[in-house]
Amino acid sequence: MRTKLLGVAALVVTLAAAGCAAPEAAPQAAPASDAAQATPQGPVKLTYWTWAPNMDKIVAVWNQEHPDIQVTVSKQAGGDDAAAKFLTAAKAGNPPDLVQAEYQHLPSFIAADAVADLKAAAGAAQPEFSEGVWGQVTLGTAAVYAIPQDSGPMMLFYRKDLFEKYGIAVPKTWQEYAEAARKVRKQDPDVFLGTFSSKDPGAFTGLAQQAGARWWAIEGEAWRVNVADEPTTRVADFWGGLVKEGVIDGMPYFTPEWNKALNDGKLLTWPSAIWAPGALSSNAPKAKGKWAAAPLPQWRAGENHSGFWGGSSVAVAASSKHQAAAARFAVWLNTDPKAVELLVKEAAIYPASAKGQQALTEAPDYFSTQPDFWQQAATVAAGARGFTFGPNVGVTYNAFKDSFDKAVQARSSFSDAVRAMQETTVADMRKSGFQIAP
């Protein structure tokens, strides 16, 4: 891939976004494609940085069955700090052989030449995954930079009992969602159908993906940046209009006020990801059994699109001496039926592999009244759209929080906030030395 010339800039951007000191030079990695085709010679030892719980138990199964390739797990904190730590280690020449990589951070790893192209060793795994999730590890190129592990397709979670109370049908389009929001407010001024959170750019990103947004793309030697594209502006204007009208709240997610509103039945929906049952069971225990899940409302009746909020992959370090062995382990971990079952049971993840999703049968305890929960989730996941993330997602996400905080408070234009995200993202990339397509 031709982002090597951008490696220094990407590394600076990523670490700056994470609040860490910038490095002095880009890492020197071996050509990934050549190394990835190497055949493992005899027993090898691999290190694997991950924050997934109980990964050591899953790896123990691999180690028992594969004495020639032994993997050691190193538990990490996750998030931006884990990404910065990996890039620092890559620059210093001592990264782990394998690393758990959030989809949003993978482009910065690639631009820094810190991860290998696994196409030769693992490209055959593509049929195991949906087009949307696979695209997040290829960035729209012919290369394969990681193996998808978990994903966060978005659905609409709603209070089934209160929908019945207020005479609301589950909205199939966003227009119906807006009408339902107005209907609820007319019946009870203390209740909102939903809220827009200016603190959670990942949620907004997923909704923009559902609408068909394409924030970044690689064109030759340059990045095309279009955060303020038509689908994103449409999503922003929709939510901004509802907030300005006063029929949707501006309360951020994961706050004490949000928890109380969920518990007390003052907030009836949450457009969220497949991991929502865990969050709801912790934040709204009183409402157990009262929530249900449905596909996200669509922009056009009859469509079946969703987006992703969260998810991660397993990448192989470009400087690993055992790339083929590492790729073999990464494919096993995320496609082998026994391994995927363990990922669900021990690590409590929603697997990215389609077969793993279809194997889930018993609904989450919090949603025990909806026996087809996982079947609905698998259908939604198959239609989820991802997009190529850029190398400075942290900057873009911070711009989201800054601009949307102000817009929610002032009930001003959300599309102006999106344009602020675009301008901030492009300015940061230019400053860091990236080439921007006109």
Side-chain angles (χ1 to χ4, degrees), residues 225-275:
V225 185
N226 199 8
V227 177
D229 60 9
E230 185 281 329
T232 305
T233 302
R234 182 181 356 127
V235 173
D237 284 340
F238 173 80
W239 288 98
L242 295 180
V243 170
K244 186 175 183 178
E245 189 179 340
V247 295
I248 288 292
D249 200 9
M251 178 194 317
Y253 302 149
F254 309 111
T255 60
E257 294 78 10
W258 182 73
N259 294 344
K260 188 174 188 306
L262 293 176
N263 255 320
D264 295 345
K266 303 299 184 184
L267 198 58
L268 307 190
T269 68
W270 185 25
S272 186
I274 195 63
W275 40 259

Side-chain angles (χ1 to χ4, degrees), residues 150-226:
D150 63 302
S151 67
M154 295 185 72
M155 303 175 72
L156 181 69
F157 298 90
Y158 66 98
R159 277 291 297 264
K160 183 173 57 176
D161 58 329
L162 297 180
F163 266 42
E164 293 174 358
K165 174 183 176 181
Y166 293 112
I168 301 170
V170 178
K172 297 185 183 307
T173 66
W174 286 113
Q175 291 77 11
E176 291 180 2
Y177 184 90
E179 292 166 5
R182 298 183 183 103
K183 185 174 182 178
V184 168
R185 292 293 288 167
K186 284 183 180 178
Q187 295 186 64
D188 190 338
D190 293 329
V191 176
F192 284 100
L193 183 69
T195 185
F196 180 86
S197 176
S198 61
K199 305 295 186 185
D200 294 282
F204 181 75
T205 301
L207 294 175
Q209 290 175 344
Q210 186 214 11
R214 294 286 185 271
W215 289 3
W216 288 275
I218 299 170
E219 293 187 2
E221 301 291 335
W223 286 91
R224 180 170 295 282
V225 185
N226 199 8

Side-chain angles (χ1 to χ4, degrees), residues 216 225 227 392 395-396 420-429:
W216 288 275
V225 185
V227 177
N392 63 339
V395 171
T396 307
M421 291 172 63
Q422 165 75 11
E423 292 168 1
T424 302
T425 301
V426 171
D428 177 76
M429 292 180 71

Side-chain angles (χ1 to χ4, degrees), residues 236 240-241 243-244 403-404 406-417:
V243 170
K244 186 175 183 178
S403 56
F404 276 87
K406 297 173 184 174
V408 168
Q409 292 300 319
R411 294 192 176 187
S412 59
S413 169
F414 276 24
S415 53
D416 285 350

